[in-house]
């Protein structure tokens, strides 16, 4: 596959987002000749360790990430009442720590379903952005939504 890398991949750990296990994703990537692959399950890092181990065993560079649900920006609350999404990828250990902190903000409380539905605030995202690369998030991302809204 040369230099092509999938940067927005869900495993079965994102309910209704993917069907393959992290190990199955890596096996397919290896069969297709990929040199790197990202895992970006929604609001969680449940598959990160098994994905990392499987990638390393297959000689594939693991890119750890997460699709984060993010609340509307304060200045644009009137444009959309629902949350948006951003794809966040760790560039190294500091980025992985940032992903862990962001995931914890959404997952470590008994009211995690409410927190995930509300999404991360922009200040929370900014406070834990070290070592992260942010992708637009596609049609559910804020860049696309704000652009369409003018």
């Amino acid at each position: 596959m040369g230099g092509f890398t999938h940067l927005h991949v869900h495993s079965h750990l994102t309910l209704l987002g993917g069907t393959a296990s992290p190990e199955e994703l890596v096996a397919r990537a290896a069969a297709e000749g990929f040199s790197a692959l990202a895992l970006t399950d929604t609001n969680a890092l449940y598959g990160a360790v098994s994905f990392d181990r499987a990638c390393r065993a297959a000689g594939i560079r693991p890119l750890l990430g997460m699709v984060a649900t993010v609340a509307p920006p304060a200045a644009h609350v009137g444009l959309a009442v629902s949350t948006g999404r951003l794809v966040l990828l760790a560039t190294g250990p500091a980025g992985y720590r940032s992903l862990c902190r962001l995931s914890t903000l959404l997952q470590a409380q008994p009211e995690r379903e409410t927190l995930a539905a509300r999404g991360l605030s922009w200040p929370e995202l900014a406070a834990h952005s070290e070592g992260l690369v942010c992708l637009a998030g596609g049609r559910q991302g804020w860049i696309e939504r704000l652009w369409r809204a003018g």
Side-chain angles (χ1 to χ4, degrees), residues 67-112:
V67 172
T69 303
V70 183
H76 299 285
V77 171
L79 294 177
V81 294
S82 64
T83 57
R85 300 204 172 177
L86 295 174
V87 178
L88 305 173
L89 297 171
T91 61
Y96 184 69
R97 283 190 297 277
S98 293
L99 289 174
C100 289
R101 289 182 182 117
L102 292 168
S103 177
T104 298
L105 288 172
L106 294 167
Q107 299 292 331
Q109 304 299 323
E111 63 275 4
R112 67 177 170 255

Side-chain angles (χ1 to χ4, degrees), residues 6-7 22 27 29 39 45 53 55 59-60 62 68 70 73 75 77 84 95 97 100 102 111 118 122 133:
H6 284 286
L7 297 177
L39 180 66
L45 299 169
R53 287 180 180 156
C55 280
I60 294 174
V70 183
V77 171
R97 283 190 297 277
C100 289
L102 292 168
E111 63 275 4
R118 179 207 70 182
W122 290 89
V133 171

